[in-house]
């Protein structure tokens, strides 16, 4: 069961659909029509209802997702995404809306969010390794640690990246996934601690931890800041 809530100040309508994505080495998602790499789509393995929701401000609505496993389903991991997309209000254009040339253009932002739906069937395994740690500096001067998450096996990875120095957390990036469409993902973990100025020459440990409520090994690696 998923819960969708309208936190705005007017009535909104949201349309729910299924979309399939491929992830690249930087974590960007691109819509695709056919699976890539070891991936398989999950869109034929579940149903959901309702397909469209109209919500008053502050009003929640549940969406039910039902898993349907065919008897001959092959072993593997299957993934698709549920896309929740705002349906814009379309107002009829009047003659007063046009400019002197008779053309009127209006740009609206359409809010949308996608949630992965992952089906795992059979004996699957996935393992990872942290590599290529290095300090980086953003264009705005903020500091970060660049890390590569290598993935192997027939299962995607998902966890939280946590940077630790002298026993304290100095950076975190939650819910970092590496899907089957890529063997690795490069990630930058922002360093947010007030202790940064005193960390020069100190060792930072990077941990890739299972998400809360999940079990699995913690991947670790480290580097010394210049």
């Amino acid at each position: 069961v998923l819960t969708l809530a309208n936190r705005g100040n007017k009535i909104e309508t949201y349309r729910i659909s299924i979309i399939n994505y491929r992830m690249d080495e930087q974590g960007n998602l691109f819509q695709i029509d056919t699976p890539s790499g070891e991936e398989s789509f999950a869109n034929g393995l579940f149903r959901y209802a309702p397909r469209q929701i109209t919500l008053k401000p502050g009003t929640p609505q549940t969406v039910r997702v039902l898993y349907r496993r065919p008897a001959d389903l092959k072993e593997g991991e299957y993934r698709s995404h549920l896309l929740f997309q705002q349906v814009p209000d379309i107002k009829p254009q009047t003659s007063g809306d046009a400019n002197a040339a008779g053309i009127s253009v209006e740009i609206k932002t359409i809010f949308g969010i996608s949630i992965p739906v992952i089906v795992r069937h059979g004996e699957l395994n996935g393992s990872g390794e942290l590599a290529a740690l290095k300090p980086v500096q953003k264009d705005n001067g903020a500091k970060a640690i660049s890390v590569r998450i290598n993935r192997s096996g027939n299962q995607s990875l998902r966890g939280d990246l946590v940077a630790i120095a002298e026993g304290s957390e100095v950076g975190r990036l939650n819910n970092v996934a590496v899907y089957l469409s890529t063997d690795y993902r490069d990630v930058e973990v922002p360093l947010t601690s007030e202790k940064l100025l005193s960390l020069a020459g100190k060792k930072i440990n990077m941990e890739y931890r299972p998400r809360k409520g999940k079990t699995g090994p913690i991947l670790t690696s480290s580097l010394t800041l210049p």
Side-chain angles (χ1 to χ4, degrees):
V1 175
L2 302 172
T3 301
L4 184 67
N6 178 5
R7 303 197 178 188
N9 54 16
K10 65 176 183 177
I11 295 176
E12 296 286 1
T13 298
Y14 301 91
R15 184 176 296 120
I16 307 171
S17 59
I18 297 176
I19 192 170
N20 294 303
Y21 286 121
R22 175 184 66 83
M23 173 181 281
D24 69 5
E25 293 82 1
Q26 281 70 49
N28 301 309
L29 296 175
F30 300 92
Q31 185 175 353
I32 58 175
D33 296 322
T34 56
S36 61
E38 302 176 15
E39 288 188 307
S40 298
F41 294 155
N43 53 314
L45 301 177
F46 66 92
R47 294 183 299 176
Y48 63 96
R51 302 296 179 96
Q52 185 164 300
I53 299 174
T54 299
L55 295 177
K56 295 179 181 179
T59 302
Q61 168 73 46
T62 59
V63 177
R64 297 187 176 274
V65 182
L66 176 65
Y67 174 42
R68 303 175 59 191
R69 188 184 74 183
D72 59 348
L73 183 65
K74 294 182 179 179
E75 184 176 274
E77 179 178 287
Y78 301 80
R79 175 177 55 86
S80 292
H81 292 245
L82 278 178
L83 176 63
F84 296 79
Q85 193 163 42
Q86 181 184 15
V87 178
D89 294 330
I90 301 179
K91 299 179 181 179
Q93 183 176 335
T94 64
S95 58
D97 295 332
N99 57 23
I103 298 174
S104 177
V105 177
E106 183 179 8
I107 298 176
K108 289 187 176 182
T109 301
I110 306 301
F111 171 79
I113 186 172
S114 63
I115 299 175
V117 178
I118 298 176
V119 174
R120 294 189 175 114
H121 176 61
E123 295 293 329
L124 307 180
N125 65 83
S127 59
E129 177 191 28
L130 301 185
L133 271 72
K134 61 181 178 181
V136 295
Q137 186 164 325
K138 303 281 194 177
D139 293 338
N140 61 1
K143 297 181 182 298
I145 299 289
S146 175
V147 57
R148 172 167 294 185
I149 307 173
N150 291 317
R151 183 199 61 80
S152 60
N154 56 358
Q155 180 175 308
S156 60
L157 303 178
R158 185 181 295 274
D160 299 333
L161 279 169
V162 183
I164 300 172
E166 298 184 321
S168 300
E169 181 178 311
V170 295
R172 172 182 285 266
L173 196 60
N174 290 331
N175 201 22
V176 180
V178 187
Y179 293 140
L180 293 182
S181 56
T182 179
D183 293 331
Y184 67 90
R185 177 177 171 182
D186 291 326
V187 184
E188 291 184 357
V189 180
L191 298 178
T192 57
S193 171
E194 296 178 355
K195 298 170 54 179
L196 286 180
L197 293 177
S198 63
L199 290 179
K202 302 294 179 61
K203 185 171 75 170
I204 290 186
N205 294 317
M206 185 69 70
E207 296 184 354
Y208 187 49
R209 302 174 178 175
R211 297 283 291 158
K212 185 177 181 180
K214 302 295 183 180
T215 59
I218 298 178
L219 308 181
T220 63
S221 188
S222 62
L223 83 161
T224 300
L225 292 180

